[in-house]
Amino acid sequence: MYKLTGVTKHYRRAKDTVEALRGVDLVIEDGDQLVIQGPTGGGKSTLLQMLGALDRPTEGSVEFDGVDLARLSEAKLTKVRAENIGFIFQSFNLIPTLTALENVETALVPMGVKAAERRRLAAEALDSVGLAERLSHLPSELSGGQQQRVAIARALVKKPKVLLADEPTGNLDEATRADIIGLLEGLWKERGLTFILVTHDSGIAKRAPRLASIRKGRVTVTERISAV
Ligand SMILES: Nc1ncnc2c1ncn2[C@@H]1O[C@H](COP(=O)(O)OP(=O)(O)O)[C@@H](O)[C@H]1O
Ligand SMILES: [Mg+2]
């Protein structure tokens, strides 16, 4: 699925250059779960942006199903992203003026899905995250955990190959964190997704089948054969 070779990412700001990634080599197979952990500023979100075709590396290649994302035009990256990749963020990133159903529908607009079909698929996705009774609620009328469930439904409604989650439980209380992680792991197993999760939760990191530790832009992978 993914093959990263010698990936570096430099951010230039005025006269300063930040080396956010420094030579990352990483292979992620179809259907794998990879947990990414490391201190703030280590490069976790930058790595996720490379995997999610949100940005290109400064050097190196990011192969996704045999295509080097580093060489694609902006328009092609947008297409890869819209069709294949679901994102979840710490801050949910829902549109405040849209209902839960409308928020989920937005993921299907770039693919040209007709309105009635969009509504049907969005309602089905919300049902699969336990929110069948909340379709017409605005984000402000939902709890944090429910808002994250809407974001999960939005990420999955287009049936992506890859689910990328950047500290998805960072804004939630402990009980809700466990609910959301349980939901995500269930969806990963059911749907044969490739699931890449950035988290600070050391409990999750400990039982991860595959853990990528990232520190100062460098990645070390640990496999846990016993956890499989
Ligand atoms: N858009 C940007 N412009 C400049 N520097 C950035 C940008 N994004 C991230 N950085 C810097 O790159 C480094 C890695 O950041 P990030 O990938 O967000 O780390 P993490 O997610 O592990 O906290 C940090 O030093 C951060 O300040
Ligand atoms: Mg981050």
Side-chain angles (χ1 to χ4, degrees):
M1 160 130 309
Y2 282 108
K3 183 167 190 251
L4 279 65
T5 312
V7 171
T8 69
K9 179 67 182 179
H10 297 174
Y11 292 111
R12 251 170 228 114
R13 292 180 56 85
K15 284 180 198 125
D16 293 336
T17 300
V18 178
E19 296 179 32
L21 297 175
R22 309 178 190 224
V24 174
D25 298 321
L26 184 63
V27 172
I28 305 169
E29 304 290 352
D30 262 8
D32 264 9
Q33 182 191 142
L34 178 71
V35 172
I36 301 176
Q37 207 194 22
T40 301
K44 302 182 297 296
S45 295
T46 302
L47 178 59
L48 226 55
Q49 280 167 19
M50 302 294 129
L51 297 172
L54 281 172
D55 202 353
R56 291 194 200 80
T58 306
E59 288 160 36
S61 65
V62 179
E63 272 180 42
F64 176 72
D65 284 348
V67 175
D68 186 0
L69 300 180
R71 293 167 172 277
L72 291 188
S73 66
E74 204 59 53
K76 292 218 169 109
L77 280 182
T78 304
K79 189 162 188 286
V80 168
R81 205 159 61 219
E83 289 175 359
N84 300 287
I85 297 167
F87 279 97
I88 313 167
F89 302 94
Q90 178 170 352
S91 49
F92 321 137
N93 293 8
L94 299 176
I95 300 172
T97 52
L98 299 184
T99 65
L101 189 73
E102 291 163 347
N103 265 285
V104 175
E105 278 186 55
T106 60
L108 297 170
V109 172
M111 274 123 93
V113 181
K114 298 257 160 53
E117 179 68 355
R118 278 205 314 261
R119 273 195 295 280
R120 190 186 69 75
L121 291 169
E124 190 182 281
L126 283 162
D127 187 27
S128 75
V129 298
L131 287 183
E133 319 273 273
R134 295 287 185 278
L135 305 189
S136 61
H137 285 230
L138 293 171
S140 61
E141 298 165 344
L142 296 167
S143 71
Q146 289 171 336
Q147 289 180 57
Q148 194 59 299
R149 284 171 187 262
V150 175
I152 293 168
R154 180 181 56 186
L156 294 179
V157 69
K158 61 190 179 187
K159 310 223 161 35
K161 290 184 189 165
V162 183
L163 179 62
L164 301 176
D166 197 349
E167 304 190 32
T169 58
N171 280 354
L172 303 173
D173 62 67
E174 204 172 321
T176 310
R177 283 207 286 272
D179 281 354
I180 293 291
I181 291 297
L183 174 66
L184 288 171
E185 294 204 323
L187 291 165
W188 163 60
K189 283 184 191 142
E190 265 167 40
R191 301 191 178 206
L193 289 162
T194 303
F195 176 34
I196 302 167
L197 170 68
V198 172
T199 182
H200 274 123
D201 187 326
S202 50
I204 296 167
K206 269 190 208 128
R207 53 195 175 79
R210 206 157 172 251
L211 178 67
S213 303
I214 176 158
R215 166 177 291 276
K216 296 185 179 159
R218 293 199 170 84
V219 170
T220 322
V221 175
T222 318
E223 316 267 352
R224 287 173 53 84
I225 287 114
S226 59
V228 177

